[in-house]
Amino acid sequence: MSKKIIVLNGSPRKKGNTSALVKAFTEGAGSAGNSVTEFFLDDMNIRGCKGCFGGGKNPDSPCAQKDDMDKIYPVYKEADIVVLATPLYYWTMSGQLKCAFDRLFAVAECDPNYRNPKKECALLMAAEGNGFEETLYWYDRLEKHIGWKSIGKVLCGDVMAVGDIEGKKELKEAYELGRSIN
Ligand SMILES: Cc1cc2nc3c(=O)[nH]c(=O)nc-3n(C[C@H](O)[C@H](O)[C@H](O)COP(=O)(O)O)c2cc1C
């Protein structure tokens, strides 16, 4: 059965290495009949979580802050799979992705026990080096604690400039990860 996939792309570079992984993944997922909605977060007005614990009152617009997260919430709600895509910035995800991700807490606030909706997830990353360990630790914690199940990760190191990723095997891996979903 085809799945609904939401991609949160935290790179600021539309033609960068992370976006190339997203494109390959999306092509693969589409070829297997899945539907993919990508949000290019850097183009959106998404502020950081205020920690007000005042969300969760309206499931369609669960956060107390009103901004472009309201475009993401309905797609997130329907999604079977959440793809987190980000360049490695100082051994972690980009600020764009972190801001959006924290704001998903407002969805958990809709549940009296702060339970997150059950999803599958995937991680796509690009970096100049290969220091993915800290982000993988975070991703592992995420899986364990919010109850998501990872369907795969594609980590592409040794890419710095736009275009460096061309010809790298990770593009094929991202395509195959997408194609494996059904
Ligand atoms: C603010 C900033 C921080 C970065 N920190 C790291 C880092 O900690 N480790 C690393 O290997 N690369 C780091 N990089 C390099 C990027 O991860 C690399 O250029 C990546 O390919 C960018 O992906 P993009 O093309 O999707 O923007 C950093 C780049 C920037 C702009």
Side-chain angles (χ1 to χ4, degrees):
M1 206 181 85
S2 67
K3 294 207 168 154
K4 292 192 179 104
I5 303 167
I6 181 172
V7 179
L8 301 178
N9 183 347
S11 173
R13 301 201 292 190
K14 276 205 178 111
K15 295 193 182 301
N17 301 310
T18 306
S19 297
L21 290 173
V22 169
K23 184 166 177 277
F25 172 88
T26 301
E27 283 168 8
S31 77
N34 302 288
S35 68
V36 182
T37 306
E38 178 188 353
F39 289 96
F40 190 78
L41 303 172
D42 196 58
D43 275 352
M44 301 174 75
N45 174 31
I46 297 174
R47 293 184 296 271
C49 175
K50 298 284 188 201
C52 69
F53 292 90
K57 297 186 176 69
N58 172 6
D60 296 326
S61 175
C63 191
Q65 293 191 74
K66 301 301 167 201
D67 58 15
D68 282 346
M69 278 305 292
D70 278 338
K71 296 177 183 161
I72 293 181
Y73 289 128
V75 180
Y76 172 69
K77 187 176 172 188
E78 295 298 320
D80 304 295
I81 301 175
V82 182
V83 178
L84 305 171
T86 178
L88 185 68
Y89 277 3
Y90 292 106
W91 303 280
T92 185
M93 73 194 81
S94 69
Q96 288 90 335
L97 181 59
K98 185 72 166 80
C99 272
F101 198 86
D102 286 350
R103 296 283 301 284
L104 296 179
F105 177 67
V107 178
E109 285 185 293
C110 296
D111 182 274
N113 295 311
Y114 293 116
R115 270 191 297 254
N116 287 277
K118 290 277 175 277
K119 308 277 182 194
E120 292 181 308
C121 56
L123 180 67
L124 306 177
M125 290 190 75
E128 179 192 6
N130 284 277
F132 296 108
E133 294 88 346
E134 289 80 3
T135 318
L136 289 176
Y137 179 76
W138 171 81
Y139 186 69
D140 184 54
R141 300 285 271 194
L142 188 76
E143 245 195 292
K144 288 200 175 80
H145 292 281
I146 75 171
W148 288 4
K149 185 175 171 356
S150 178
I151 58 160
K153 305 165 234 188
V154 179
L155 311 173
C156 185
D158 305 315
V159 290
M160 174 72 169
V162 168
D164 281 355
I165 200 165
E166 258 169 58
K168 300 265 289 179
K169 67 173 177 15
E170 287 82 359
L171 287 178
K172 177 98 175 108
E173 285 174 26
Y175 180 89
E176 292 301 336
L177 176 60
R179 202 168 69 109
S180 70
I181 299 165
N182 53 44

